[in-house]
Every structure is written in C-alpha cells, then in structure tokens.
C-alpha cells in the first residue's frame, strides 16, 4: 500500500510518500517539503502568529494535493514540538482540522524519542546491541537508549537548533559571548539527564539521526547523500570540536556554501553543532554513526506493525 507521512515539524512540513507492506522495508516513492520554521514564528506570548497559522494551513492543503496526485491511500499526520509547545497549540490544531480536515496527532517528546529509536533499531538490526540514539530537531533534542525496539530510557529536551538560534543567537555571525552563554546552558540541560542513561551501561553503538547530524557529518568529511543510503557515515567528536569555532565565526550565508548545508538550515547549524558537541562530550562518545531513518520512518513502521 502507498502511505503518506505528513510531518509538521519545527523547521519543515514534510510529506514522505512510501510504498509499504507488513514485514517489508518501506520504499520511499516521493518527498515534498516546505520550510516554515514554525519554531521561529512564535510571538512574545509563545504563540504561533496568525501569518504562521495561515502558512501552515496552506502548506497542509498543498501536501494533501500532492498526496492525492501520488496515489496515497492513507495519510499519517503528526506534529512535534513547535505545535506541542505553542501557547495557542490547541487553537492551531482546530484551525488546521476545520480548514483541511486533517487532524494532526501531536506527539509528546518521549513519543518522538521512542519512535526515532524504533527506526534506528530496525535500520541497524539486532546485531547492533545496545543503542544510544541522538536526534536534533528544530525544536528539541531527543535521546533514547536500549537493547530492544522499545528503549529503556527516552527523553526530550528543549534544545532544538531552530529554537536556540531564534532565542539565543540573534547575531549573524553571533556575538562570542552569546555563543559561550548558549554553550553553558546546553551543557547544563544535557548534564541533568545523563545519569538516566549511563546507569544502563555503555552502549555498543551510538547513532545520530536528523538533518543536523547529517550536515555536520558531511562538512566533517562524510560521503555525499548522492552516494546512497548504504554508505556508512560517521561524525567524530574531534572533527566536530574543530568545526564549532569555525562555524561560530561564519555568517549564515558563508555556512550555506559548505558541502551538504542547505540555505534554509545554515543559520541553525551553529546551534545544532553546540548541542551535538555537548551531547557527545557528556555521554563520552568519540564517534557516532549517521542513521538515515528517523521519526517519520518510525511512524510508518509502527503503523505497519498494527496492520492486520
């Protein structure tokens, strides 16, 4: 069957169309994205602005038309931290439902972490052993650890690259003091939860998912996306530590010229790098693997698990 996953995230609204059957690997058929950066469209009250809501409604309507054009039988719509944490989130959900007939399922931060972990587990297989999975989104950082398909520990922290850029790094390039202040805050937040994971022992493999980790790995020398999903890609803490001060000295336009960095994400890359560096350091990770599957694939896999 042909499924569509409609992901209303903090950075993008992404429709992923896949051909999927129980017991088989979901095969991507089409991808449609629109960059809204909802995490950056919050007003002083923490609400998504009227303009932001109108753009969201229009984007969902466009995605539904694309899904119909591509022969999608069923759409799985969900929203993450930007809608979940907006002070007018319920109003936004009602507006989207009234104008598009799409009822977005709002995932909790823990749900995001668990579904992303499921995707990484299925991609890597049982032989990967105990996994530590890190995912940096636009609005939050998800961390999960476990041996099975359901992790033993899963948390979500408000340390998304888009959120931190909008709230803590206003300059372009940012002021050195702003970077130092954000670095301290990020590390303090992550340090609060480290013990929840380390008590389970040392992971056999550490995995990074999400666009942020893929871009950081690429600028650090990993293979291009054009070389395919099955090429192993890694990010070392040593390389990341070398890149952080370089990214801090660059403007968003300069970061956008780096290999693998999209113009829409270039401004967020420094904040994402600070979060990635802090997580790898505090969890004692020297090298992590890049996994091409993440939250959207986890949603698809969970749906397939429940099909008759």
């Amino acid at each position: 069957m042909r499924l569509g996953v409609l992901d209303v995230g903090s950075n993008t609204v992404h429709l992923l169309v896949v051909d999927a059957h129980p017991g088989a690997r979901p095969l991507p058929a089409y991808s449609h994205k629109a960059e809204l950066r909802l995490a950056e469209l919050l007003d002083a009250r923490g609400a998504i602005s009227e303009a932001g809501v109108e753009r969201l409604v229009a984007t969902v309507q466009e995605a539904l038309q694309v899904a119909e054009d591509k022969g999608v039988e069923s759409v799985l719509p969900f929203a993450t931290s930007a809608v979940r944490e907006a002070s007018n989130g319920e109003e936004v959900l009602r507006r989207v439902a009234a104008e598009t007939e799409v009822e977005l399922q709002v995932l909790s931060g823990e749900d995001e972490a668990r579904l992303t972990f499921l995707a990484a587990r299925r991609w890597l297989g049982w032989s990967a052993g105990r996994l530590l999975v890190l995912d940096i989104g636009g609005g939050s950082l998800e961390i999960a650890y476990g041996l099975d398909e359901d992790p033993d520990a899963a948390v979500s922290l408000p340390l998304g690259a888009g959120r931190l850029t909008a709230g803590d790094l206003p300059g372009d390039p940012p002021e050195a003091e702003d970077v130092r202040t954000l670095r301290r805050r990020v590390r303090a937040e992550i340090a609060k939860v480290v013990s929840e994971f380390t008590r389970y022992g040392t992971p056999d493999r550490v995995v990074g998912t999400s666009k942020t980790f893929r871009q950081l790995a690429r600028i650090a020398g990993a293979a291009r996306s054009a070389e395919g999903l099955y090429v192993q890609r890694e990010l070392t803490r040593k390389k990341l530590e070398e890149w952080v001060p370089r990214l801090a000295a660059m403007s968003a336009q300069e970061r956008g010229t780096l290999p693998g960095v999209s113009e829409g994400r270039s401004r967020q890359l420094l904040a994402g790098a600070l979060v990635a560096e802090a997580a790898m350091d505090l969890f004692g990770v020297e090298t992590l693997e890049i996994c091409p599957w993440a939250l959207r694939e986890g949603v698809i896999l969970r749906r397939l698990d429940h099909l008759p």
Side-chain angles (χ1 to χ4, degrees), residues 77 134 232 307:
L134 306 171
Q232 185 168 352
L307 286 177

Side-chain angles (χ1 to χ4, degrees), residues 79-216:
T80 56
S81 62
V83 175
R84 181 175 68 234
E85 297 171 14
S87 61
N88 62 337
E90 290 297 327
E91 178 185 340
V92 172
L93 293 173
R94 287 193 296 271
R95 177 91 170 268
V96 170
E99 298 191 30
T100 70
E101 298 184 353
V102 170
E103 295 190 5
L104 292 170
Q105 177 189 1
V106 179
L107 300 180
S108 70
E110 184 176 325
D111 287 339
E112 287 189 57
R114 291 184 176 278
L115 288 166
T116 302
F117 184 90
L118 170 64
R121 168 60 71 197
R122 294 278 179 93
W123 179 267
L124 293 169
W126 296 110
S127 62
R130 293 171 294 185
L131 292 180
L132 175 63
V133 178
L134 306 171
D135 182 286
I136 303 171
S140 58
L141 162 69
E142 276 69 52
I143 308 170
Y145 175 100
L147 182 63
D148 300 317
E149 290 196 338
D150 192 38
D152 297 310
V155 301
S156 178
L157 300 174
L159 299 176
R163 178 202 297 266
L164 297 180
T165 300
D168 298 85
L169 296 176
D172 184 24
E175 297 291 336
E177 184 57 34
D178 289 339
V179 175
R180 285 193 294 270
T181 300
L182 179 57
R183 184 180 187 275
R184 287 193 295 269
R185 184 163 79 81
V186 166
R187 286 172 175 262
E189 287 286 332
I190 296 174
K192 294 175 184 177
V193 303
V194 168
S195 63
E196 295 182 34
F197 297 88
T198 54
R199 64 191 181 94
Y200 290 104
T202 303
D204 297 303
R205 293 172 66 179
V206 181
V207 175
T209 70
S210 76
K211 186 80 167 180
T212 294
F213 271 118
R214 291 198 299 272
Q215 290 184 337
L216 291 172

